[in-house]
Amino acid sequence: MANFDNEQLISIIERIERLNSDAADIAEGIKEVFEEAKSAGYDPKYIRKIITLRKMDRDELDEQDELMAMYRNAVGL
């Protein structure tokens, strides 16, 4: 069995608990901003898509746009 440093282990656990709490607070804040956007008439589904697109490299985004156009044309959209 491993020889634990009890204080270090407790410190690690407490840090993880704080970070989990912070993550929950952040998730709640994001949810509130999406609700605000929706009440202002914006569609959260498209806001999420824009956020995803903004994370992409410009070349990757252009390639995705070209491929999407190619597939849409292939099926008559």
Side-chain angles (χ1 to χ4, degrees):
M1 184 151 176
N3 189 12
F4 291 127
D5 176 347
N6 292 349
E7 289 181 25
Q8 182 183 29
L9 179 58
I10 290 169
S11 174
I12 289 169
I13 291 169
E14 288 173 345
R15 286 171 43 209
I16 291 169
E17 289 172 338
R18 278 193 303 277
L19 290 169
N20 282 333
S21 176
D22 292 348
D25 292 343
I26 290 169
E28 182 62 29
I30 291 169
K31 179 182 173 188
E32 290 172 4
V33 173
F34 276 113
E35 289 171 357
E36 177 184 340
K38 187 173 183 176
S39 70
Y42 299 106
D43 189 329
K45 175 174 64 175
Y46 293 101
I47 292 174
R48 284 184 181 88
K49 181 65 175 171
I50 292 296
I51 291 168
T52 299
L53 294 173
R54 286 172 51 106
K55 292 178 186 177
M56 295 174 74
D57 174 83
R58 187 68 186 168
D59 292 334
E60 183 183 1
L61 181 57
D62 290 343
E63 180 182 353
Q64 183 179 4
D65 287 344
E66 289 175 25
L67 287 170
M68 182 58 75
M70 183 177 72
Y71 278 82
R72 288 179 69 162
N73 287 333
V75 297
L77 292 176

